[in-house]
């Protein structure tokens, strides 16, 4: 037997139904906020992720599905969606035109991580990316939008917020931090590397010993320049205006290198240790890093598998028709009615090709949650034959001639 690869899984109903319900409703909300659907390739040049997500990140360092293709190109299955959308934005020259654009997307992402609950090697994200807005109220808007999405599904999440500063305040903060880190040689191996490549990543190391060592570390939010501080205040006040609760977490840096200023995560305490259900932030220099004209950017992505664990589908009501034949001779008419209902009436129809006894059909219809039940036997095939349409919800029955029913289709 051939099994799916480790950390990759098939999605059956009800999870697959929830997935569609989730995508449908998040798309609706994103569209209300002016976001437009974009689809970008799963496979991209490896350089794209090295230059955006960053060589110091675990994603690029350890987790990429990277290979040389038959044309000798170094390619990679996307570990996240932002880089591809930025590449597409620049490739379509939207940066040159100075356009403001808002995109949403969803699909598979790939990270070669150690699989565990809530952590897969192939997982799905729903993300949004907004280009051309320097106003911090855009950051507030996407956080409010994400909050609205979670509220729609009845999900309660804690919002963690931080500001990562800008090119004016970040370099001097980094120097301060490195000086502090130089005082110890007990950092974990990963942090020793991070100290050299991107020292702020040390702040959110999960290693307990590192966290202890960092207790007295200088904090980003105490070292913001006036502009960043002012924007961070506006962001907080806007969220408060809309009664959205949040918590400042000065150690929140996020695992991707492209952020500046706003960084945020939505966290749930109901799904185990992989508790981050969504994350995002501002990336004002990423378009430039990828060869475009400097353009502001801000966005987020939701981890769909983690989110699906947190809500149930609303109870589904009975719907559509179940049509079955009681004899072999009746199979043709049963199929004709089913197809005409589908094609001409755009109805939801479940049809059994092979004849069965009445009880088996009724059991099937009930299992499939059909509303109307029609069984065709030899009597229905006669001239002036009549069929009974049973409403399985109200138990009402309606009798019509086959001829008039077919005419109505
Ligand atoms: P991220 O924090 O790496 O951000 O991923 C976003 C979400 O994807 C996480 O909060 C988590 O729910 C989910 N996720 C990440 N890795 C896994 C995994 N191995 N298994 C299951 N779920 C996972 C980004 O990807 C950024 N591109 C977000 C962004 C968009 N920032 C700006 N725009």
């Amino acid at each position: 037997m051939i099994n799916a690869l480790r950390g990759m899984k098939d999605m059956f109903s009800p999870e697959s139904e929830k997935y569609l319900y989730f995508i449908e409703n998040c798309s609706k909300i994103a569209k209300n906020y002016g976001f437009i659907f974009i689809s970008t390739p799963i496979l991209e040049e490896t350089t794209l992720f090295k230059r955006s997500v960053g060589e110091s990140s675990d994603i690029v360092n350890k987790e990429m599905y990277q290979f040389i293709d038959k044309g000798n190109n170094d390619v990679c299955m996307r570990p996240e969606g932002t880089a591809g959308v930025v590449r597409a934005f620049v490739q379509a020259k939207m940066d040159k035109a100075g356009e403001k654009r808002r995109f949403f997307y969803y699909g598979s992402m790939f990270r070669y991580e150690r699989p565990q609950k809530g952590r897969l090697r192939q997982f799905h994200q729903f993300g949004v990316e907004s280009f051309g807005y320097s106003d911090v109220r855009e950051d507030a808007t996407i956080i409010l939008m994400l909050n609205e999405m979670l509220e729609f599904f009845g999900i309660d999440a804690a919002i963690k917020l931080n500001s990562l500063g800008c090119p004016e305040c970040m370099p001097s903060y980094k120097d301060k931090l490195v000086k502090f880190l130089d005082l110890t040689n007990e950092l974990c191996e990963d942090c020793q590397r991070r100290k050299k490549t991107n020292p702020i990543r040390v702040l959110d190391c999960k290693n307990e010993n590192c966290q202890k060592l960092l207790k007295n570390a200088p904090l980003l939010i105490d070292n913001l320049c006036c502009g960043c501080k002012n924007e961070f205040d506006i962001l907080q006040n806007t969220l408060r205006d809309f009664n959205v609760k949040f918590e400042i977490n000065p150690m929140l840096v996020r695992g991707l290198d492209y952020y500046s200023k706003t960084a945020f995560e939505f966290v749930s305490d109901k799904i185990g240790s992989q508790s981050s259900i969504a994350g995002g932030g501002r990336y004002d220099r990423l378009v430039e890093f990828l060869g475009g004209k400097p353009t502001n950017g801000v966005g987020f992505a939701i981890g769909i598998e983690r989110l699906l664990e947190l809500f149930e589908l609303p109870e589904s009501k009975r719907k559509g028709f179940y049509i079955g034949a009681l004899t072999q001779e009746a199979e043709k008419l049963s199929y004709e009615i089913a197809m005409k209902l589908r094609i001409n009436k755009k109805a939801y129809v479940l049809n059994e090709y092979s004849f069965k006894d009445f009880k088996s059909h009724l059991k099937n219809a009930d299992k499939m949650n059909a509303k109307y039940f029609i069984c065709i036997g030899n009597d229905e095939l006669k001239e002036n034959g009549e069929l009974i349409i049973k409403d399985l919800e109200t138990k009402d029955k309606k009798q019509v001639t086959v001829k008039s029913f077919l005419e109505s289709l």
Side-chain angles (χ1 to χ4, degrees):
M1 190 174 58
I2 300 171
N3 291 320
L5 295 174
R6 198 161 119 78
M8 306 199 175
K9 59 174 198 166
D10 307 304
M11 206 192 277
F12 291 104
S13 177
E15 204 189 358
S16 56
E17 293 293 321
K18 265 164 107 178
Y19 178 84
L20 286 180
Y21 178 75
F22 171 81
I23 297 293
E24 214 175 281
N25 287 292
C26 281
S27 304
K28 235 185 239 170
I29 294 173
K31 283 183 195 168
N32 284 348
Y33 281 75
F35 286 78
I36 290 167
F37 179 65
I38 185 172
S39 169
T40 64
I42 285 176
L43 207 57
E44 297 270 7
E45 270 185 45
T46 302
T47 321
L48 173 66
F49 302 107
K50 286 194 174 165
R51 271 209 251 158
S52 54
V53 178
E55 305 228 30
S56 78
S57 69
D58 287 350
I59 296 177
V60 167
N61 234 297
K62 305 178 185 166
E63 299 168 0
M64 288 213 288
Y65 274 87
Q66 180 186 358
F67 58 95
I68 305 293
D69 74 4
K70 290 192 170 78
N72 224 12
N73 304 299
D74 188 347
V75 294
C76 174
M77 313 264 278
R78 63 180 181 197
E80 58 103 54
T82 311
V85 175
V86 174
R87 193 234 353 102
F89 178 79
V90 174
Q91 191 176 334
K93 298 192 170 50
M94 290 169 176
D95 58 323
K96 300 270 182 312
E99 291 181 30
K100 286 184 160 64
R101 291 283 181 137
R102 293 185 174 114
F103 298 109
F104 76 90
Y105 54 90
Y106 51 85
S108 294
M109 309 293 157
F110 302 83
R111 297 184 191 176
Y112 197 84
E113 297 194 76
R114 194 171 51 76
Q116 66 177 87
K117 186 175 164 0
R119 194 204 272 159
L120 293 153
R121 289 183 174 170
Q122 177 177 357
F123 60 99
H124 297 81
Q125 285 186 344
F126 182 99
V128 308
E129 312 296 346
S130 161
F131 296 101
Y133 294 90
S134 59
D135 196 317
V136 69
R137 281 172 297 184
E138 185 70 359
D139 311 33
T141 304
I142 65 164
I143 294 175
L144 291 169
M145 175 167 74
L146 176 52
N147 192 58
E148 186 182 331
M149 287 172 176
L150 299 190
E151 271 183 359
F152 178 88
F153 300 106
I155 295 169
D156 200 19
I159 304 176
K160 317 266 176 186
L161 207 59
N162 195 14
S163 172
L164 301 180
C166 68
E168 197 182 312
C169 48
M170 181 48 107
S172 55
Y173 169 73
K174 266 189 191 164
D175 288 346
K176 254 192 204 178
L177 181 64
V178 171
K179 274 189 194 131
F180 173 84
L181 297 175
D182 279 342
L183 298 176
T184 172
N185 50 13
E186 286 174 54
L187 290 171
C188 74
E189 213 176 287
D190 277 340
C191 284
Q192 302 280 4
R193 175 175 53 81
R194 289 173 185 141
K195 197 173 98 177
K196 292 192 192 105
T197 49
N198 187 4
I200 60 161
R201 285 294 327 281
V202 172
L203 292 175
D204 71 351
C205 176
K206 304 290 175 281
N207 182 307
E208 263 180 43
N209 192 45
C210 290
Q211 280 305 319
K212 260 189 220 153
L213 295 170
L214 288 166
K215 260 205 169 128
N216 296 318
L219 295 178
L220 269 156
I221 45 167
D222 296 334
N223 288 275
L224 296 176
C225 62
C226 269
C228 285
K229 192 179 170 325
N230 188 31
E231 287 186 359
F232 198 41
D233 285 343
I234 295 175
L235 173 62
Q236 293 175 56
N237 287 334
T238 313
L239 296 181
R240 280 188 201 106
D241 287 346
F242 289 90
N243 298 319
V244 170
K245 290 199 179 73
F246 58 87
E247 198 182 287
I248 308 284
N249 179 354
M251 307 299 250
L252 177 77
V253 219
R254 312 253 315 116
L256 309 97
D257 288 353
Y258 48 62
Y259 296 112
S260 55
K261 298 187 180 173
T262 309
F264 60 89
E265 270 181 17
F266 281 53
V267 176
S268 166
D269 57 6
K270 298 190 179 74
I271 49 169
S273 64
Q274 299 305 310
S275 58
S276 164
I277 49 180
R282 186 162 271 279
Y283 48 85
D284 284 343
R285 288 191 301 156
L286 185 53
V287 176
E288 200 180 346
F289 283 164
L290 295 178
K293 194 173 131 187
T295 307
N296 300 99
V298 58
F300 67 72
I302 303 174
I304 301 183
E305 278 80 2
R306 293 185 192 172
L307 206 102
L308 296 190
E309 285 205 27
L310 288 165
F311 76 95
E312 292 306 326
L313 279 176
E315 207 155 292
S316 72
K317 287 196 183 125
R318 287 187 176 277
K319 64 171 180 176
F321 293 82
Y322 177 96
I323 300 163
L326 297 169
T327 64
Q328 195 166 17
E329 299 78 55
E331 283 176 6
K332 191 165 181 277
L333 178 60
S334 152
Y335 186 62
E336 182 186 345
I337 293 177
M339 287 311 294
K340 285 192 170 160
L341 275 168
R342 285 178 179 134
I343 295 169
N344 300 339
K345 295 289 172 188
K346 306 296 169 218
Y348 170 76
V349 182
L350 304 160
N351 175 233
E352 274 288 333
Y353 296 116
S354 308
F355 72 94
K356 281 188 178 59
D357 62 62
F358 186 84
K359 254 190 171 170
S360 307
H361 278 312
L362 195 59
K363 215 167 136 191
N364 269 352
D366 205 42
K367 210 164 104 192
M368 293 170 169
N369 227 6
K371 180 163 166 68
Y372 298 107
F373 177 71
I374 301 174
C375 256
I376 318 272
N378 286 352
D379 283 350
E380 281 79 357
L381 300 179
K382 289 181 190 152
E383 177 103 34
N384 288 331
E386 293 192 327
L387 49 84
I388 297 170
I389 305 169
K390 188 172 178 191
D391 185 325
L392 296 178
E393 203 167 80
T394 61
K395 310 289 177 220
D396 287 345
K397 283 183 192 166
K398 202 174 138 191
Q399 204 155 345
V400 285
T401 65
V402 174
K403 192 164 172 260
S404 65
F405 188 63
L406 280 175
E407 273 166 13
S408 76
L409 302 178

